[in-house]
Amino acid sequence: MTKLAVIYYSATGHGTKMANKVVAAAESAGAEVRLRHIAETRDPATFAQNPAWTANYEATKDKPVASGDDIVWADAVIFGTPTRFGSPAAQFRTFIDSLGGLWAQGKLADKIYAAFTSSQTAHGGQETTLLALYITLMHFGGILVSPGYTDPVKFGDGNPYGVGHITGPENKNEIDDATAAALEHLARRVVTVAGRLHAVSNE
């Protein structure tokens, strides 16, 4: 059974919903899944005026928090982060930057990685966020499994690098059918390729 870690940071809750869709699809594909959110690093008082951010914080703060051990445990990892000025969010980067010890030991290498993101606008830096993250994963020695256009659903969401959701100017856009289908395809593809790699390594 493929072991998949879904590790994400979400501010206003869209990333949480995307992660849950990935988990459901991966489990239906036969994977053992760990869902872990990246802890909020900002003082809740600084976003108290943002109801969606506060609601997501309250809903997730007591759930299991991501650690490097979750990556070591996994055969494959799907990361999620909002776009911040064309790069992963600072909270996400803080987590990634905490992994130096495991990287130095080679414990992040030879795993399959993929990612999803979200932004307020259609050209809000989704592609650059995913590519910036993938550069880090190449430093890990990771094996990138992008969705490409390996299924017709990818012509619906149009993102060959991962999956991106457009939240809208007020962060109110729900995940549409095309994005949901792309998330499900990403999960299935990662689980399938990880299973093939695991089978080969055991021959």
Side-chain angles (χ1 to χ4, degrees):
M1 178 180 289
T2 297
K3 294 182 291 185
L4 172 69
V6 179
I7 297 175
Y8 75 98
Y9 170 74
S10 179
T12 57
H14 297 281
T16 301
K17 293 175 182 177
M18 295 175 82
N20 286 330
K21 288 187 179 295
V22 168
V23 168
E27 288 179 338
S28 71
E32 178 183 357
V33 184
R34 283 189 187 181
L35 174 63
R36 299 290 187 265
H37 75 100
I38 293 172
E40 181 60 69
T41 59
R42 286 184 55 178
D43 183 340
T46 65
F47 53 81
Q49 78 288 352
N50 186 321
W53 197 336
T54 298
N56 184 66
Y57 172 76
E58 292 295 332
T60 60
K61 66 179 182 179
D62 295 325
K63 293 185 177 181
V65 175
S67 74
D69 289 341
D70 297 311
I71 301 176
V72 173
W73 166 86
D75 302 309
V77 182
I78 297 178
F79 284 120
T81 175
T83 291
R84 291 289 183 270
F85 302 113
S87 295
Q91 295 89 336
F92 183 88
R93 285 301 324 180
T94 296
F95 170 75
I96 292 293
D97 290 346
S98 75
L99 302 174
L102 294 175
W103 165 81
Q105 297 173 61
K107 292 185 176 180
L108 307 180
D110 303 329
K111 297 176 184 293
I112 285 176
Y113 294 96
F116 60 86
T117 188
S118 61
S119 62
Q120 288 190 335
T121 61
H123 301 285
Q126 292 184 5
E127 292 182 359
T128 55
T129 295
L130 292 170
L131 293 174
L133 171 54
Y134 290 166
I135 290 171
T136 297
L137 302 181
M138 284 188 277
H139 279 254
F140 287 0
I143 302 165
L144 301 179
V145 176
S146 64
Y149 293 100
T150 54
D151 188 277
V153 300
K154 292 305 298 177
F155 292 96
D157 84 311
N159 187 335
Y161 307 102
V163 181
H165 170 56
I166 301 168
T167 68
E170 297 181 358
N171 292 306
K172 293 182 178 179
N173 291 352
E174 294 298 326
I175 297 169
D176 61 20
D177 291 343
T179 303
L183 288 166
E184 292 164 3
H185 173 63
L186 180 69
R188 290 193 303 269
R189 177 166 164 76
V190 166
V191 170
T192 298
V193 175
R196 290 173 182 167
L197 183 64
H198 186 69
V200 169
S201 66
N202 287 334
E203 288 181 354

